[in-house]
Amino acid sequence: MNIKESIIKATTELIEEKVGDLSAVTSRAIAERSGAALGLINYHFGSKDKLIEMCVQRIANKILFCFYSDEDMGEDTAEQEKVLRRAQKVFDFFFSNKAIARTFILGDLREYRIKSNTGAVQSGLKLAMSSVSNEKRRLLAFILTSVMETAFLTGDSSYDVLGYHLDNKLERDLFLAETVEMVYRGVQ
């Protein structure tokens, strides 16, 4: 393994060990774990923050990839229900991994790429949609992803902004059910 991959591996391990507490992932800890000189972090990645952002993207991408199987849904599950279940999995991931989710959402907002985690969420939602045209599918996935990411970023103000306490799973599910219903009603 080359030094750059050793640094990435060490950083990813530290992020996972610290359960997303990114402030606990220091350059010194990364250097010690990877066996690399401290200066190589900036040399290869520009900054510790850019390195962490890249590693968070990789972690989130791995996790988000597993959300897109329909194993938990029967053939007779309605499309809107499939979309809702996928959205709930993503939203639950956000709230269970707040530091990782915030880092990947803000990173994607700074520099959106099709192969970003936001793009993966959009693709996963599109896969559950079959009754609408491809153009509308893209728009619906974009709208739902944007709503989830923006709602997540409201943080402790979610009740004041949206009328839902999003840290509460029942209210979060209700928020998504109503949002998906509104989006689908608008398509009909």
Side-chain angles (χ1 to χ4, degrees):
M1 182 177 334
N2 68 33
I3 197 66
K4 190 172 178 181
E5 280 303 314
S6 293
I7 293 170
I8 292 169
K9 182 178 183 286
T11 305
T12 302
E13 289 171 358
L14 287 166
I15 291 168
E16 290 173 338
E17 285 172 16
K18 304 297 182 190
V19 195
D21 179 6
L22 303 179
S23 64
V25 180
T26 65
S27 295
R28 191 165 311 289
I30 294 167
E32 285 175 16
R33 171 82 53 105
S34 67
L38 195 57
L40 289 177
I41 293 169
N42 286 342
Y43 175 77
H44 285 293
F45 303 98
S47 70
K48 178 191 84 162
D49 291 338
K50 285 183 181 176
L51 168 62
I52 287 176
E53 187 175 307
M54 184 186 76
C55 292
V56 164
Q57 292 283 350
R58 284 187 178 191
I59 292 166
N61 210 15
K62 272 192 314 193
I63 296 166
L64 291 173
F65 181 76
C66 73
F67 291 154
Y68 303 122
S69 72
D70 289 332
E71 292 171 4
D72 61 338
M73 295 179 232
E75 298 246 344
D76 59 336
T77 304
E79 175 181 318
Q80 190 171 327
E81 182 65 23
K82 286 181 181 181
V83 171
L84 176 60
R85 287 186 192 176
R86 286 182 181 193
Q88 287 171 330
K89 287 180 181 180
V90 171
F91 220 33
D92 289 346
F93 168 78
F94 289 175
F95 284 89
S96 297
N97 301 278
K98 288 182 177 182
I100 290 172
R102 180 173 298 282
T103 301
F104 98 62
I105 291 168
L106 294 175
D108 288 352
L109 286 172
R110 269 194 303 279
E111 186 180 339
Y112 183 83
R113 293 176 308 277
I114 297 297
K115 297 207 182 240
S116 65
N117 287 305
T118 297
V121 171
Q122 292 167 350
S123 294
L125 292 172
K126 284 189 292 189
L127 288 173
M129 301 173 189
S130 57
S131 70
V132 295
S133 69
N134 193 39
E135 294 78 27
K136 286 188 178 179
R137 197 176 300 168
R138 280 188 238 169
L139 185 55
L140 291 175
F142 180 84
I143 291 168
L144 288 173
T145 303
S146 298
V147 166
M148 287 190 297
E149 289 182 349
T150 305
F152 169 76
L153 291 173
T154 64
D156 293 338
S157 301
S158 68
Y159 185 77
D160 297 327
V161 174
L162 301 166
Y164 297 89
H165 293 284
L166 295 179
D167 279 324
N168 178 296
K169 169 86 170 123
L170 294 174
E171 289 197 39
R172 192 164 58 238
D173 287 349
L174 180 59
F175 168 76
L176 281 177
E178 290 181 357
T179 301
V180 169
E181 173 65 28
M182 282 188 238
V183 168
Y184 266 83
R185 210 174 353 171
V187 170
Q188 306 307 331

